[in-house]
């Protein structure tokens, strides 16, 4: 009888652990970048922000990335990858490594919550996780900036 109770308790604990893993693992967010992976692990501990906050953040990242890539190309330098630029952008905004990692985790947590219903956020996730090639990102940013320019 004790063995049956122990087996039931073990089964219950294993189920609970599986549920906890569902909350903290992100199968659709699998970054290749090591620092981004660490921030992903922190993302269950931070406050989730609004979708509007995230969209503003993403648009600012895209605009700054385009400007930075344009400057680097003119100077003959290599462009940073999207995850590298993501941290460069956050460092310019928030300064310290601790705050940068906390805001990166916030972006990830908010992205996880809102991406299912927004193609713009799904695209950003694919760029950030490097699921889409850098050449696609370059074309995307160029098209986005051309669309935003006023007509002459």
């Amino acid at each position: 009888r004790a063995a049956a109770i122990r087996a039931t308790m073990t089964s219950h604990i294993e189920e609970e652990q599986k549920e906890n893993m569902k909350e903290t693992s992100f199968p659709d967010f699998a970054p290749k970048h090591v620092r981004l992976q660490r921030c992903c692990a922190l993302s269950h501990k931070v406050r989730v922000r609004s979708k509007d906050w995230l969209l503003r953040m993403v648009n600012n990242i895209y605009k700054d990335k385009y400007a930075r890539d344009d400057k680097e190309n003119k100077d003959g330098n290599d462009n940073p990858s999207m995850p590298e630029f993501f941290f460069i952008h956050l460092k310019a905004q928030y300064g310290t490594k601790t705050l940068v990692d906390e805001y990166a985790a916030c972006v990830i947590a908010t992205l996880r919550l809102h991406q299912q219903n927004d193609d713009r956020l799904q695209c950003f996730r694919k760029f950030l996780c490097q699921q889409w090639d850098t050449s696609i990102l370059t074309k995307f940013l160029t098209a986005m900036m051309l669309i935003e320019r006023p007509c002459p």
Side-chain angles (χ1 to χ4, degrees):
R1 181 171 163 110
I5 292 172
R6 192 174 305 119
T8 302
M9 287 178 59
T10 302
S11 174
H12 177 69
I13 290 169
E14 288 172 354
E15 288 296 316
E16 193 172 301
Q17 287 174 341
K18 284 180 188 174
E19 284 300 313
N20 288 339
M21 284 301 291
K22 285 180 188 173
E23 293 174 12
T24 59
S25 66
F26 308 122
D28 59 337
F29 195 92
K32 296 176 183 175
H33 193 271
V34 176
R35 187 172 177 192
L36 204 52
Q37 290 171 354
R38 285 193 300 255
C39 292
C40 192
L42 296 172
S43 65
H44 67 282
K45 297 178 182 178
V46 296
R47 182 176 76 127
V48 174
R49 301 295 186 103
S50 71
K51 183 177 176 181
D52 287 338
W53 175 86
L54 182 58
L55 288 170
R56 281 191 307 275
M57 173 75 76
V58 167
N59 282 330
N60 288 334
I61 290 169
Y62 283 152
K63 286 177 185 176
D64 290 351
K65 172 80 169 125
Y66 179 81
R68 171 79 180 255
D69 287 358
D70 190 45
K71 182 183 181 317
E72 295 295 336
N73 289 338
K74 287 176 182 172
D75 293 345
N77 298 323
D78 291 334
N79 298 329
S81 69
M82 183 54 131
E84 289 168 352
F85 183 77
F86 176 66
F87 288 107
I88 291 168
H89 177 83
L90 293 178
K91 183 168 178 41
Q93 295 283 320
Y94 305 108
T96 68
K97 184 181 184 309
T98 304
L99 276 177
V100 167
D101 288 351
E102 183 179 325
Y103 274 93
C106 267
V107 168
I108 293 166
T110 306
L111 187 58
R112 292 249 327 115
L113 179 65
H114 297 294
Q115 71 165 341
Q116 299 303 328
N117 301 322
D118 196 310
D119 291 338
R120 297 168 295 181
L121 297 177
Q122 289 178 25
C123 286
F124 180 72
R125 174 185 52 84
K126 289 178 181 180
F127 289 134
L128 194 58
C129 292
Q130 296 176 297
Q131 289 177 299
W132 285 350
D133 189 89
T134 304
S135 65
I136 296 171
L137 174 60
T138 301
K139 290 173 185 165
F140 174 83
L141 292 174
T142 302
M144 194 174 118
M145 293 305 131
L146 288 172
I147 289 169
E148 289 188 2
R149 281 189 192 158
C151 294

